[in-house]
């Protein structure tokens, strides 16, 4: 697909993939959603990026979303499950990230309702039942939220 034919979401995904690959993350399970899904044996949607940083022995699962945080969480969860079927010791070595646009990021910080009920505290995703922040964790790993264009 030519760059001018991509949707804004597809362009954002590609930008995140290029940035992370440029940081040295090897894409052992593919460089597209479909490759990652196939190679990790995932049913349903998966995250945009699965990378491994050999010098730190660290995995990264990242999803780029303009909104629909619940969908991003589900995609990351599916992908982490798939990664753990191939790399059983990866849980403690894995970082989980959601990249989002400025508007959504600010909404999750400033609006008491957040975005779809999700808020950000100290750069991590969570929610506030009873006015107490609870970090969202997937298999014990917190989900970091990064505003598009920052790192």
């Amino acid at each position: 697909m030519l760059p001018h034919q991509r949707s804004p979401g597809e362009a954002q995904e590609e930008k995140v993939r290029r940035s992370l690959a440029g940081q040295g993350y090897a894409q052992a399970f593919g460089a597209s959603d479909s490759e990652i899904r196939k190679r990790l044996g995932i049913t349903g949607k998966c995250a945009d990026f699965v990378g491994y940083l050999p010098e730190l022995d660290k995995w990264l699962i990242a999803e780029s979303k303009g909104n629909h945080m619940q969908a991003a969480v589900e995609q990351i969860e599916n992908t982490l499950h798939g990664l753990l079927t191939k790399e059983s010791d990866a849980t403690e070595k894995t970082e989980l990230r959601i990249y989002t646009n400025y508007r959504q990021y600010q909404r999750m910080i400033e609006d008491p309702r957040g975005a779809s009920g999700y808020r950000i505290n100290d750069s991590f995703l969570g929610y506030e039942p009873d006015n107490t922040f609870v970090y969202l964790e997937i298999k014990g790993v917190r989900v970091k939220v990064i505003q598009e264009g920052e790192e």
Side-chain angles (χ1 to χ4, degrees):
M1 181 177 299
L2 297 173
H4 69 279
Q5 294 175 318
R6 289 189 212 140
S7 72
E10 291 169 328
Q12 182 178 330
E13 286 178 26
E14 184 57 33
K15 182 179 174 184
V16 168
R17 281 189 184 111
R18 276 194 322 269
S19 174
L20 294 171
Q23 293 172 35
Y25 286 96
Q27 298 176 75
F29 296 105
S32 71
D33 298 16
S34 59
E35 288 177 349
I36 293 167
R37 188 173 24 265
K38 181 179 177 184
R39 292 182 185 170
L40 290 180
I42 295 170
T43 305
K45 292 192 172 196
C46 70
D48 298 328
F49 185 88
V50 176
Y52 180 70
L53 201 55
E55 59 270 13
L56 297 178
D57 190 27
K58 294 283 184 185
W59 289 94
L60 171 64
I61 296 174
E63 173 63 20
S64 178
K65 275 288 185 245
N67 52 25
H68 303 297
M69 288 298 125
Q70 182 59 40
V73 169
E74 290 170 6
Q75 288 172 255
I76 287 173
E77 189 169 22
N78 285 346
T79 307
L80 180 58
H81 178 74
L83 177 62
L84 293 175
T85 63
K86 303 287 185 183
E87 301 286 336
S88 59
D89 66 339
T91 304
E92 295 177 8
K93 301 176 186 179
T94 302
E95 182 179 352
L96 307 175
R97 293 183 194 167
I98 296 174
Y99 288 80
T100 193
N101 61 42
Y102 173 83
R103 188 172 141 254
Q104 284 298 96
Y105 191 89
Q106 292 305 312
R107 185 173 173 198
M108 287 188 284
I109 290 174
E110 296 170 359
D111 188 331
R113 296 166 296 169
S116 304
Y118 288 104
R119 304 273 331 243
I120 297 172
N121 186 20
D122 197 25
S123 298
F124 291 96
L125 191 64
Y127 48 95
E128 291 186 350
D130 304 322
N131 294 321
T132 303
F133 192 87
V134 177
Y135 290 100
L136 184 128
E137 295 184 354
I138 301 172
K139 296 202 179 274
V141 181
R142 289 181 181 177
V143 178
K144 187 171 192 171
V145 181
I146 297 176
Q147 183 177 300
E148 184 182 324
E150 292 185 345
E151 287 208 58

